[in-house]
Amino acid sequence: MAQVLKASEENLKRAAEVIRKGGLVAFPTETVYGLGGDAFNPDAVARIFEVKERPTFDPIIVHIADFGDIKRLCREIDERAKILAEKFWPGPLTMVLKKSKEVPDIVTAGLDTVAVRMPSHPVARKLIEYSKTPIAAPSANLFGKLSPTTAEHVNEQLGERIDMIIDGGRCPVGVESTVIDLSVDPPAILRPGGTPAEEIERVIGKVSFIHRSDEPKSPGQLKKHYSPRTPLRIIRGEMDVGHGEKAGLLAFKRPDDETARKFEKIEVLSSSDDLNEALRQAAQNLFSALHRLDHAGLDIIYAEQVPEIGLGRAIMDRLRKAEGMG
Ligand code: TXA
Ligand code: MG
């Protein structure tokens, strides 16, 4: 089993040593836990794919702690990238840019672009700094399964396969970063995430949204992804729990008593009356709530829709993928 260590200075230095030697460390970011390895070590990156059982056509995000590091990774950093970095880094935004020769092909799945992100979580930042190398890190879950927002989630799925898990508590944003492709014009949002598209458009103008396609440019676009083992269905219009069906409810707001009686287990994602605050709470709680529902021995999970603005886009994207409808 992996060692689960508190995020002390000493343990972060040990973790950095593991990364430098080509090992794998799971660590907290503000979005979800990442499974990190030295981005310039192709063997370490190959192990990331193996451990996650991830198809090698699905490229991995490279994490940096200092804007200067981007020069080693990318051959073109245009004005829009600079503006976005200035406004949203460090934070939950990943930019896809033309890659430099130095980035190993295995990181980018042979693409001519590399995805770069500067996380804001202090533990992630220190780990990158101490490792003295950019860290390639997908979410620390098995491919296609629920993303991890606590060290326990990581341990459950990957504990037996990796060297170390740094426990930094639960991830404050709770959904993955927004991925934006700046190698095309207009820029394209490949995955909605922790940085709302509306805020991005406010600084660089119109972006396009790539929706599901058979040949995903970002495999975050694969239809079935972020899935619990229990079947999940989004509630559209009237819903009835089947007779004798053990059903769970993923509710955006606290349900009334009559609704609540139909379910074995209910997870309420938000409590605020302010929509933006409610969406922030819902994003933060989403994966933990899904993990709990998935462990409750239910036949089915019904999920309420949330308004598709701001963080609501990322939430609905994850729910549709959990449902398998992309
Ligand atoms: O918040 C996050 O982004 C987390 C934390 C750990 O940083 N990471 C994460 O990584 O969600 P992952 O591997 O689960 O998702 C990365 C997404 C995938 O959909 C991948 O296809 C896309 O980014 N991606 C990576 N490199 C790309 C590239 N060169 N072009 C297009 N999409 C790319
Ligand atoms: Mg992932």
Side-chain angles (χ1 to χ4, degrees):
M1 287 299 276
Q3 287 181 283
V4 182
L5 301 175
K6 287 258 161 295
S8 66
E9 281 296 310
E10 196 195 332
N11 287 337
L12 283 173
K13 283 182 181 146
R14 285 165 70 184
E17 203 47 43
V18 172
I19 299 270
R20 291 199 65 75
K21 289 196 174 123
L24 305 187
V25 176
F27 63 99
T29 81
E30 70 278 21
T31 58
V32 300
Y33 274 71
L35 174 62
D38 180 352
F40 288 119
N41 179 338
D43 294 332
V45 178
R47 243 191 97 208
I48 294 178
F49 282 99
E50 216 176 279
V51 161
K52 269 186 69 96
E53 297 174 20
R54 177 176 174 119
T56 47
F57 61 72
D58 190 356
I60 294 181
I61 298 172
V62 180
H63 298 69
I64 59 176
D66 187 292
F67 188 75
D69 293 342
I70 203 173
K71 295 198 192 94
R72 243 183 110 189
L73 299 169
C74 307
R75 60 174 196 275
E76 271 172 36
I77 306 143
D78 69 11
E79 213 38 50
R80 297 168 313 181
K82 285 183 193 150
I83 294 169
L84 288 174
E86 177 91 8
K87 173 89 177 137
F88 298 109
W89 278 2
L93 179 70
T94 296
M95 295 197 257
V96 173
L97 297 160
K98 297 262 169 65
K99 86 185 254 301
S100 75
K101 282 208 190 77
E102 222 189 318
V103 179
D105 283 334
I106 187 162
V107 172
T108 63
L111 295 175
D112 188 39
T113 54
V114 61
V116 188
R117 156 163 137 77
M118 189 194 289
S120 62
H121 198 294
V123 172
R125 294 175 65 79
K126 277 193 186 157
L127 181 62
I128 301 165
E129 272 166 34
Y130 295 167
S131 301
K132 298 191 178 70
T133 179
I135 293 183
S139 49
N141 54 334
L142 289 168
F143 182 72
K145 296 285 183 275
L146 287 176
S147 295
T149 52
T150 65
E152 296 78 64
H153 296 158
V154 180
N155 208 4
E156 195 183 298
Q157 287 191 25
L158 301 180
E160 281 170 25
R161 306 177 179 203
I162 61 180
D163 301 303
M164 192 182 278
I165 300 171
I166 296 289
D167 185 352
R170 72 170 181 164
C171 302
V173 175
V175 290
E176 295 88 343
S177 62
T178 300
V179 180
I180 184 164
D181 187 351
L182 293 173
S183 72
V184 294
D185 199 36
I189 298 221
L190 303 180
R191 176 179 72 183
T195 302
E198 294 90 334
E199 289 186 27
I200 292 174
E201 289 192 321
R202 226 170 280 144
V203 291
I204 57 164
K206 275 271 164 236
V207 299
S208 70
F209 292 87
I210 306 273
H211 282 297
R212 61 169 132 141
S213 67
D214 292 331
E215 235 175 287
K217 180 147 191 203
S218 184
Q221 292 172 2
L222 290 174
K223 284 188 201 167
K224 184 105 180 144
H225 215 83
Y226 312 108
S227 301
R229 285 164 302 192
T230 316
L232 179 143
R233 196 174 310 149
I234 297 171
I235 302 169
R236 300 180 175 87
E238 282 294 299
M239 65 106 14
D240 262 313
V241 173
H243 188 70
E245 192 176 56
K246 277 181 85 180
L249 177 66
L250 184 71
F252 180 42
K253 296 276 170 65
R254 180 161 295 290
D256 58 40
D257 291 349
E258 194 194 331
T259 308
R261 272 197 291 277
K262 299 180 190 162
F263 298 94
E264 286 272 324
K265 185 172 169 67
I266 299 173
E267 288 285 340
V268 181
L269 291 178
S270 70
S271 58
S272 176
D273 290 330
D274 175 78
L275 179 57
N276 278 329
E277 175 57 14
L279 289 170
R280 192 196 63 73
Q281 292 172 338
Q284 186 177 65
N285 295 324
L286 179 68
F287 283 118
S288 285
L290 282 170
H291 277 277
R292 284 192 295 271
L293 287 167
D294 204 19
H295 281 105
L298 302 165
D299 298 321
I300 186 162
I301 300 166
Y302 288 97
E304 273 178 15
Q305 308 198 47
V306 306
E308 225 157 325
I309 56 162
L311 288 173
R313 282 182 207 264
I315 296 168
M316 286 308 297
D317 172 79
R318 305 308 184 269
L319 289 180
R320 282 193 204 101
K321 281 171 182 148
E323 186 182 43
M325 307 285 280

